Amino acid sequence: MKLNLPELLPDQAEAVLHTLALVAGGLAVGLLLKFIVFRVLRAYNKRETTLLSHSVAKHLNHASTFFFPVLTLLFVLPLAPLSPKHLGILERVVVTGFVVTFAWGLVKTVDVIEDLVKQHYQLDGDNNLQVRKLFTQLQFVRKLVVSIIIFVAMALILMSFATVRRIGTGLLTSAGIASVIVGFAAQRSIANLLAGFQIAFTQPIRIDDVLVVEGEWGRVEEITFTYVVLRIWDERRLVLPINYFIEKPFQNWTRTASQLIGTVFIYTDYSLPVDEVRAELKRLVEKNPLWDKRVCVLQVTDSKERTMELRALMSASNSSRAFDLRCEIREQLVAFIQAKYPDSLPKTRTTMDTPEQPFLPAGAVAEAN
């Protein structure tokens, strides 16, 4: 049987035009559906703003612009008058787009859930130990869930191709050798990943913890699978590998609580009346709003050959308040000593012994002159 080419070409052109119209219509319907959904959501936000509706509109807006049209196209595509071969190719493209946009929407849904959790638990309170524990686990779990979503989406896309499936079957037969090679090559990455799990659930550090690492004071800003970002007090960022906090010592000033005892050292002369300075310290600390009313002590902690060392202890609710309190009390105590006991400031004494001159009569003194 011979095909009549002039008759076949118009049929093909008509099928292509019909398919293009179907695709355009499906995309238009999807965009219209997205517009209606978010129009209703914006109207609801104007009437009664809630965190859920605001977060959905913020995070899912762009992803929905692609998801709804692809979803609609997936439903109308079987109506396309194409040959099974061409229809299969088009379906594979649409399914790939659906998987990508659906994964994108799931990632943004994770952001919505994170917003809801953060709104329920506030991190800026003074006693926020439990919140920091939760946020540390939340950040790690979020990154893990997003990684799993992306990995599964890529696997679904690749496994939709027969060639990739055959390669995967062949790789599974040699999985033992491949796992040894990959494990040896990626042992440091795997160690970082395991360290990340350990930090997320044993929590030697947490989000917003105050640390002293490598001689730097700062707060934990971010914890990832491979590194930790420390926000230094002068707004620099110190980035450390995550296994650093498993293998090396560091100071955590908020491990169990945020309250802290601050120290002020003052060096004076031995003539200073310590009781008067102790009373002044108590007066200054009691009127300072940074003090948390727990500790206020002045002690003589050392005595050197020229000076006497005074140590003032005072407590505050967190490290930032403790630092400011120390600076203010140090300045005020020095001013008090300067004003009341200026002779008790540190000094160096020098005593010169002059030899005794023998007694001479007046005539002898005149002759000597």
Side-chain angles (χ1 to χ4, degrees), residues 180-282:
V180 172
I181 296 174
V182 172
F184 181 78
Q187 56 182 340
R188 192 163 188 84
S189 299
I190 294 174
N192 284 334
L193 182 61
L194 294 178
F197 275 105
Q198 186 174 351
I199 285 177
F201 294 99
T202 61
Q203 295 192 340
I205 60 173
R206 294 173 292 266
I207 296 297
D208 206 45
D209 263 352
V210 176
L211 306 182
V212 177
V213 184
E214 300 290 328
E216 299 284 2
W217 182 97
R219 293 182 178 272
V220 177
E221 184 176 56
E222 185 180 3
I223 301 176
T224 70
F225 289 140
T226 55
Y227 62 87
V228 175
V229 179
L230 196 67
R231 186 179 70 251
I232 308 301
W233 64 273
D234 57 0
E235 298 187 355
R236 290 176 295 144
R237 299 299 189 272
L238 180 63
V239 181
L240 297 164
I242 197 166
N243 57 0
Y244 177 97
F245 298 93
I246 304 297
E247 299 173 354
K248 296 185 179 181
F250 60 92
Q251 295 183 38
N252 189 338
W253 290 6
T254 53
R255 180 70 179 87
T256 57
S258 60
Q259 59 192 22
L260 207 64
I261 296 177
T263 307
V264 171
F265 287 98
I266 296 179
Y267 297 90
T268 67
D269 188 71
Y270 281 92
S271 61
L272 179 73
V274 178
D275 289 337
E276 297 295 328
V277 180
R278 184 177 288 116
E280 179 66 13
L281 171 67
K282 185 177 180 181

Side-chain angles (χ1 to χ4, degrees), residues 272-297:
L272 179 73
V274 178
D275 289 337
E276 297 295 328
V277 180
R278 184 177 288 116
E280 179 66 13
L281 171 67
K282 185 177 180 181
R283 186 187 71 82
L284 293 174
V285 169
E286 286 179 348
K287 72 175 186 178
N288 197 306
L290 298 174
W291 186 49
D292 66 354
K293 299 178 175 56
R294 290 189 303 115
V295 177
C296 177
V297 177

Side-chain angles (χ1 to χ4, degrees), residues 115-151:
D115 285 349
L116 295 177
V117 175
K118 287 183 176 180
Q119 190 251 358
H120 188 267
Y121 299 95
Q122 299 297 325
L123 190 62
D124 53 0
D126 289 335
N127 191 10
N128 57 359
L129 177 61
Q130 298 299 324
V131 178
R132 288 187 286 110
K133 286 183 178 180
L134 177 64
F135 275 30
T136 301
Q137 294 176 344
L138 176 65
Q139 188 179 84
F140 189 83
V141 170
R142 178 193 176 280
K143 294 179 184 297
L144 182 62
V145 171
V146 170
S147 299
I148 291 175
I149 291 173
I150 295 175
F151 176 79

